[in-house]
Amino acid sequence: MPTITPEPGPPSDPELHRDRGMAESFGTDAERYDRARPGYPDAVIERIAAACPGPEILDVGCGTGIAARRFQAAGRTVLGVEPDARMAEVARRLGTAVEVATIEDWDPAGRTFDGVVSGQAWHWVDPVAGAAKAARVLRPGGVLAAFWNAPRPPDEIVDALAEAVRRVVPDIPVDVTAMKRPIEETYPALIGKVADGVRAAGAFGGLDEWRHEWTRPYTRDEWLDQLPTAGVFTRLAPDRLAEVAELTGRAIDRLGGGFTMAYSTLVVMASRVEGGAERG
């Protein structure tokens, strides 16, 4: 499902999971989504995989399988759950088994897992119902891990994108300049909502929040290729999207045709307690 790259700001709306139109808009161009979205650092995948007591992982909101393929490469067996059939089709073609459903409505049919993971997608999940479902399908000691790539573009890129949004789509209720602020200021609402849902499930212990810093270089074309995959732009008319891309592209040109993106991958993890009784 969605990423925050190049989302104008963090997904902090506490009711965002109710916006199914946006949540299921990313399959509009699933091939581009898979091609353009950033992956995840080896260190993040390895740490989550190592925490799981066994190899079987459920990937919630797996999208086109970007994270799932990383866990598979690390020797894990992955089943994806994805509400958008278009995204699921790409994931299957690229080697990930997927069942089409939201996690809240998905029927595990008695199956259990060693890990429940969710890359760039848990903000589309009801935090309480999602954690309760994870608790039901996790074996004792199994791990729930939700994670996001939080970007910090150069200020010139943020300013250009903000100006483009103001000029072309002033009705979009997002604060693009939030990407200039420290992670500690912009993501507490998201992380806190996830943590509260985990606590409410009544079946987890060892709640842990951590992050991994990394960078990735982008050319002008690579960055603009991502633009239509951001949640606020997936349903934008092509002519308006082209104008946003043109205005943003000029800023990249002024930086020499490319730039280095700083990322923080934010992770919330918890372990299924032996004998814990989930609620909900």
Side-chain angles (χ1 to χ4, degrees), residues 17-40:
H17 65 276
R18 300 186 189 280
D19 188 351
R20 300 315 305 171
M22 183 180 290
E24 297 173 27
S25 69
F26 299 92
T28 301
D29 191 345
E31 298 285 352
R32 180 197 296 268
Y33 184 99
D34 192 77
R35 175 183 70 243
R37 288 298 183 108
Y40 303 96

Side-chain angles (χ1 to χ4, degrees), residues 50-173:
C52 298
E56 295 183 277
I57 289 178
L58 181 72
D59 186 354
V60 175
C62 70
T64 59
I66 293 172
R69 294 195 297 272
R70 299 300 309 281
F71 283 105
Q72 288 170 307
R76 272 49 181 184
T77 301
V78 182
L79 173 66
V81 175
E82 167 57 45
D84 190 323
R86 299 164 298 182
M87 302 284 273
E89 181 181 359
V90 173
R92 291 189 189 109
R93 178 164 52 77
L94 295 175
T96 300
V98 184
E99 297 180 7
V100 177
T102 64
I103 187 60
E104 296 92 334
D105 295 333
W106 174 68
D107 180 8
R111 291 167 291 183
T112 58
F113 301 85
D114 300 297
V116 173
V117 304
S118 184
Q120 306 294 143
W122 201 257
H123 53 285
W124 301 116
V125 173
D126 181 297
V128 175
K133 177 64 75 68
R136 286 197 290 274
V137 302
L138 278 171
R139 296 163 186 149
V143 170
L144 169 62
F147 48 99
W148 295 261
N149 284 331
R152 180 58 174 88
D155 287 352
E156 295 91 338
I157 304 300
V158 177
D159 291 340
L161 185 57
E163 178 60 23
V165 168
R166 282 194 295 267
R167 288 174 56 177
V168 181
V169 280
D171 53 320
I172 292 180

